[in-house]
Amino acid sequence: MTQTPTTEDRLKIYKASPELYDAMMTLSAAAARDIDPELGELIKIRASQLNHCAFCLDMHTRDARKLGVAEQKLD
């Protein structure tokens, strides 16, 4: 039986490769520049679903709620 990784087991990319992390954040900011923040979070939620990343799904769903995205859209 495989064990589900915990948050502590996740790769800390900002420590492992600060240059890669900075590049990812720069790309993310550039891609989101002309997109409504709510739509941006919905896109990130869908990408997290497609990638089967529960950690990212939880994070982006929380961020969407903070932005006021309706529960019906999140459902």
Side-chain angles (χ1 to χ4, degrees):
M1 186 164 122
T2 59
Q3 186 177 11
T4 304
T6 65
T7 304
E8 292 81 32
D9 296 332
R10 296 186 65 82
L11 174 67
K12 307 234 181 339
I13 192 168
Y14 51 88
K15 287 185 179 179
S17 181
E19 301 84 11
L20 177 60
Y21 181 76
D22 289 343
M24 282 180 20
M25 292 300 101
T26 300
L27 176 62
S28 179
R33 189 171 298 134
D34 296 323
I35 295 178
D36 175 66
E38 288 185 16
L39 177 59
E41 285 306 320
L42 292 172
I43 291 168
K44 292 173 190 176
I45 288 168
R46 184 61 182 139
S48 299
Q49 291 170 331
L50 294 171
N51 290 324
H52 304 281
C53 184
F55 176 84
C56 294
L57 185 58
D58 179 63
M59 175 177 60
H60 293 303
T61 303
R62 250 187 282 129
D63 290 346
R65 284 189 178 103
K66 287 178 189 174
L67 289 171
V69 175
E71 289 298 318
Q72 187 176 12
K73 282 187 181 181
L74 296 175
D75 292 343

